[in-house]
Amino acid sequence: MTQIVLYDYWRSSASYRVRIALRTLGLSFETVPIDLLASRHQEPDYLKINPQGLVPSLRIDGQTLTQSLAIIEYLAETRPEARILPDTIEGRQRVRALSYAIAMDVHPICNLNVVSHVIRLAGQDSAKANWMVKFIGSGLQSLERMLDEPERGRFCFGDTPTMADFCLVPQVYNASRWGIEMSAFPRVASIADECNALPAFKAAHPDVAKPA
Ligand SMILES: N[C@@H](CCC(=O)N[C@@H](CS)C(=O)NCC(=O)O)C(=O)O
Protein backbone atom coordinates (compact mmCIF):
# COMPACT_ATOMS: atom_id res chain seq x y z
CA MET A 1 0.00 0.00 0.00
CA THR A 2 1.32 3.49 -0.83
CA GLN A 3 2.24 5.80 2.00
CA ILE A 4 -0.52 8.07 3.33
CA VAL A 5 0.60 11.73 3.40
CA LEU A 6 -1.00 14.46 5.50
CA TYR A 7 -0.33 18.09 4.59
CA ASP A 8 -0.62 19.49 8.06
CA TYR A 9 -0.20 22.54 10.24
CA TRP A 10 0.22 21.53 13.86
CA ARG A 11 -2.08 24.22 15.27
CA SER A 12 -4.77 23.98 12.60
CA SER A 13 -8.08 22.68 14.01
CA ALA A 14 -9.07 21.21 10.65
CA SER A 15 -5.76 19.31 10.44
CA TYR A 16 -6.12 18.20 14.07
CA ARG A 17 -9.52 16.63 13.22
CA VAL A 18 -7.97 14.55 10.46
CA ARG A 19 -4.99 13.55 12.63
CA ILE A 20 -7.47 12.22 15.24
CA ALA A 21 -9.36 10.26 12.55
CA LEU A 22 -6.16 8.72 11.15
CA ARG A 23 -4.94 7.79 14.64
CA THR A 24 -8.35 6.35 15.58
CA LEU A 25 -8.14 4.14 12.51
CA GLY A 26 -4.58 3.15 13.39
CA LEU A 27 -3.33 4.34 9.99
CA SER A 28 0.31 5.38 9.86
CA PHE A 29 1.06 8.46 7.80
CA GLU A 30 3.83 10.80 6.79
CA THR A 31 3.41 14.48 7.61
CA VAL A 32 4.32 17.35 5.30
CA PRO A 33 4.26 20.50 7.45
CA ILE A 34 2.64 23.51 5.77
CA ASP A 35 3.60 26.52 7.84
CA LEU A 36 0.62 28.90 7.70
CA LEU A 37 2.55 31.67 9.47
CA ALA A 38 5.15 31.54 6.67
CA SER A 39 2.29 31.53 4.08
CA ARG A 40 3.41 28.15 2.69
CA HIS A 41 -0.27 27.43 1.97
CA GLN A 42 -0.31 30.21 -0.64
CA GLU A 43 2.68 28.92 -2.61
CA PRO A 44 2.00 27.65 -6.15
CA ASP A 45 3.20 24.11 -5.37
CA TYR A 46 0.75 23.77 -2.50
CA LEU A 47 -2.12 25.38 -4.45
CA LYS A 48 -1.76 22.52 -6.94
CA ILE A 49 -2.48 20.12 -4.05
CA ASN A 50 -5.19 22.22 -2.40
CA PRO A 51 -6.60 24.88 -4.76
CA GLN A 52 -8.27 26.65 -1.80
CA GLY A 53 -4.91 27.16 -0.13
CA LEU A 54 -6.07 25.58 3.12
CA VAL A 55 -4.85 22.75 5.32
CA PRO A 56 -5.33 19.86 5.63
CA SER A 57 -4.95 17.82 2.46
CA LEU A 58 -4.59 14.06 2.51
CA ARG A 59 -2.89 11.82 -0.02
CA ILE A 60 -4.49 8.39 0.31
CA ASP A 61 -5.58 5.49 -1.92
CA GLY A 62 -3.96 7.17 -4.96
CA GLN A 63 -5.89 10.42 -4.61
CA THR A 64 -5.48 13.79 -2.93
CA LEU A 65 -8.42 14.77 -0.74
CA THR A 66 -9.28 18.16 0.73
CA GLN A 67 -11.82 19.51 3.26
CA SER A 68 -11.43 17.89 6.67
CA LEU A 69 -15.01 16.65 7.09
CA ALA A 70 -15.15 15.28 3.56
CA ILE A 71 -11.85 13.50 4.31
CA ILE A 72 -13.21 12.06 7.57
CA GLU A 73 -16.41 10.92 5.84
CA TYR A 74 -14.27 9.29 3.11
CA LEU A 75 -12.32 7.44 5.82
CA ALA A 76 -15.60 6.45 7.52
CA GLU A 77 -17.00 5.03 4.27
CA THR A 78 -13.85 3.26 3.11
CA ARG A 79 -12.89 1.95 6.56
CA PRO A 80 -16.26 1.42 8.33
CA GLU A 81 -14.81 -0.82 11.04
CA ALA A 82 -13.83 2.19 13.21
CA ARG A 83 -17.46 3.44 13.43
CA ILE A 84 -16.46 7.06 12.90
CA LEU A 85 -20.08 7.52 11.84
CA PRO A 86 -22.97 5.64 13.52
CA ASP A 87 -24.76 2.72 11.86
CA THR A 88 -28.17 4.36 11.67
CA ILE A 89 -29.19 7.18 9.36
CA GLU A 90 -30.61 9.09 12.34
CA GLY A 91 -27.33 8.67 14.20
CA ARG A 92 -25.32 9.87 11.21
CA GLN A 93 -27.58 12.92 10.90
CA ARG A 94 -27.01 13.73 14.57
CA VAL A 95 -23.23 13.34 14.37
CA ARG A 96 -23.12 15.48 11.22
CA ALA A 97 -25.28 18.17 12.86
CA LEU A 98 -22.88 18.41 15.82
CA SER A 99 -19.82 18.33 13.55
CA TYR A 100 -21.17 21.00 11.21
CA ALA A 101 -22.18 23.23 14.15
CA ILE A 102 -18.47 23.44 14.95
CA ALA A 103 -16.80 23.10 11.57
CA MET A 104 -19.18 25.30 9.57
CA ASP A 105 -20.61 27.75 12.09
CA VAL A 106 -17.69 28.48 14.43
CA HIS A 107 -14.40 27.52 12.78
CA PRO A 108 -14.62 29.54 9.50
CA ILE A 109 -15.25 32.89 11.20
CA CYS A 110 -12.24 32.32 13.46
CA ASN A 111 -9.90 31.40 10.61
CA LEU A 112 -6.55 33.12 10.11
CA ASN A 113 -7.55 35.03 6.95
CA VAL A 114 -10.86 36.22 8.45
CA VAL A 115 -9.34 37.35 11.72
CA SER A 116 -6.43 39.09 9.95
CA HIS A 117 -9.01 41.08 7.98
CA VAL A 118 -10.93 41.95 11.16
CA ILE A 119 -7.71 43.34 12.69
CA ARG A 120 -7.07 45.40 9.53
CA LEU A 121 -10.61 46.83 9.60
CA ALA A 122 -10.54 47.52 13.32
CA GLY A 123 -7.04 48.98 13.11
CA GLN A 124 -6.01 47.36 16.36
CA ASP A 125 -4.53 44.00 17.33
CA SER A 126 -6.74 43.70 20.42
CA ALA A 127 -9.76 43.12 18.14
CA LYS A 128 -8.43 39.61 17.55
CA ALA A 129 -8.87 38.31 21.12
CA ASN A 130 -12.22 40.04 21.41
CA TRP A 131 -13.46 38.38 18.18
CA MET A 132 -12.18 34.92 19.12
CA VAL A 133 -13.62 34.93 22.63
CA LYS A 134 -16.99 36.15 21.38
CA PHE A 135 -17.44 33.66 18.54
CA ILE A 136 -15.81 30.61 20.11
CA GLY A 137 -17.75 31.32 23.33
CA SER A 138 -21.13 31.60 21.61
CA GLY A 139 -20.36 28.53 19.48
CA LEU A 140 -19.56 26.47 22.57
CA GLN A 141 -22.73 27.70 24.24
CA SER A 142 -24.82 26.44 21.30
CA LEU A 143 -22.97 23.14 21.32
CA GLU A 144 -23.58 22.75 25.05
CA ARG A 145 -27.33 23.14 24.41
CA MET A 146 -27.21 20.70 21.49
CA LEU A 147 -25.54 18.11 23.73
CA ASP A 148 -28.48 18.09 26.15
CA GLU A 149 -29.91 15.02 24.41
CA PRO A 150 -30.48 11.38 25.44
CA GLU A 151 -28.16 10.06 22.66
CA ARG A 152 -25.22 11.61 24.43
CA GLY A 153 -23.20 9.05 26.32
CA ARG A 154 -19.58 9.51 27.34
CA PHE A 155 -18.99 11.08 23.92
CA CYS A 156 -21.03 13.32 21.61
CA PHE A 157 -23.00 10.32 20.40
CA GLY A 158 -22.94 7.21 22.54
CA ASP A 159 -19.92 5.59 24.13
CA THR A 160 -17.41 5.57 21.29
CA PRO A 161 -15.87 8.62 19.62
CA THR A 162 -17.29 9.77 16.30
CA MET A 163 -16.60 12.57 13.82
CA ALA A 164 -18.38 15.00 16.18
CA ASP A 165 -15.76 14.34 18.87
CA PHE A 166 -13.01 14.82 16.27
CA CYS A 167 -14.42 18.34 15.75
CA LEU A 168 -15.14 19.10 19.41
CA VAL A 169 -11.65 18.43 20.78
CA PRO A 170 -9.76 20.84 18.46
CA GLN A 171 -12.38 23.52 19.14
CA VAL A 172 -11.90 23.10 22.90
CA TYR A 173 -8.10 23.25 22.40
CA ASN A 174 -8.62 26.56 20.59
CA ALA A 175 -10.92 27.83 23.33
CA SER A 176 -8.23 27.17 25.92
CA ARG A 177 -5.68 29.07 23.81
CA TRP A 178 -7.95 32.10 24.08
CA GLY A 179 -8.47 31.66 27.83
CA ILE A 180 -12.14 30.67 27.59
CA GLU A 181 -13.34 29.18 30.88
CA MET A 182 -14.68 25.69 30.13
CA SER A 183 -16.62 25.36 33.40
CA ALA A 184 -19.42 27.28 31.66
CA PHE A 185 -19.77 24.32 29.24
CA PRO A 186 -19.75 21.19 31.45
CA ARG A 187 -21.05 18.72 28.83
CA VAL A 188 -18.53 19.86 26.24
CA ALA A 189 -15.73 19.84 28.84
CA SER A 190 -16.56 16.34 30.05
CA ILE A 191 -16.57 14.93 26.49
CA ALA A 192 -13.23 16.64 25.77
CA ASP A 193 -11.77 15.06 28.93
CA GLU A 194 -13.01 11.58 27.90
CA CYS A 195 -11.51 12.02 24.42
CA ASN A 196 -8.21 13.43 25.61
CA ALA A 197 -7.65 10.35 27.77
CA LEU A 198 -7.60 8.13 24.64
CA PRO A 199 -4.28 7.26 22.94
CA ALA A 200 -5.52 8.31 19.45
CA PHE A 201 -6.42 11.79 20.67
CA LYS A 202 -3.17 12.11 22.62
CA ALA A 203 -1.13 11.18 19.56
CA ALA A 204 -2.95 13.77 17.44
CA HIS A 205 -2.46 16.65 19.91
CA PRO A 206 -0.78 19.81 18.49
CA ASP A 207 2.07 19.51 21.02
CA VAL A 208 2.88 16.10 19.51
CA ALA A 209 2.30 17.22 15.89
CA LYS A 210 4.47 20.34 16.24
CA PRO A 211 7.60 20.02 14.07
CA ALA A 212 10.79 19.81 16.15
N1 LIG B 1 -13.38 23.79 5.69
C1 LIG B 1 -11.96 23.55 5.65
C2 LIG B 1 -11.27 24.61 6.47
C3 LIG B 1 -9.77 24.48 6.40
C4 LIG B 1 -9.13 25.68 7.06
O1 LIG B 1 -9.75 26.73 7.22
N2 LIG B 1 -7.87 25.53 7.43
C5 LIG B 1 -7.19 26.64 8.04
C6 LIG B 1 -6.38 26.17 9.23
S1 LIG B 1 -7.44 25.51 10.50
C7 LIG B 1 -6.28 27.29 7.04
O2 LIG B 1 -5.69 26.62 6.22
N3 LIG B 1 -6.19 28.62 7.11
C8 LIG B 1 -5.35 29.36 6.24
C9 LIG B 1 -5.80 30.79 6.13
O3 LIG B 1 -6.76 31.17 6.77
O4 LIG B 1 -5.16 31.52 5.38
C10 LIG B 1 -11.65 22.17 6.18
O5 LIG B 1 -12.38 21.73 7.05
O6 LIG B 1 -10.68 21.54 5.73
Side-chain angles (χ1 to χ4, degrees), residues 160-210:
T160 53
T162 62
M163 178 166 75
D165 302 288
F166 302 174
C167 295
L168 179 146
V169 164
Q171 192 58 69
V172 169
Y173 167 79
N174 245 325
S176 72
R177 276 184 68 201
W178 293 101
I180 294 172
E181 185 44 69
M182 287 306 297
S183 56
F185 317 109
R187 296 181 197 110
V188 176
S190 136
I191 291 170
D193 287 347
E194 289 281 353
C195 290
N196 285 326
L198 300 175
F201 285 75
K202 285 185 184 166
H205 193 278
D207 292 348
V208 176
K210 187 176 179 176

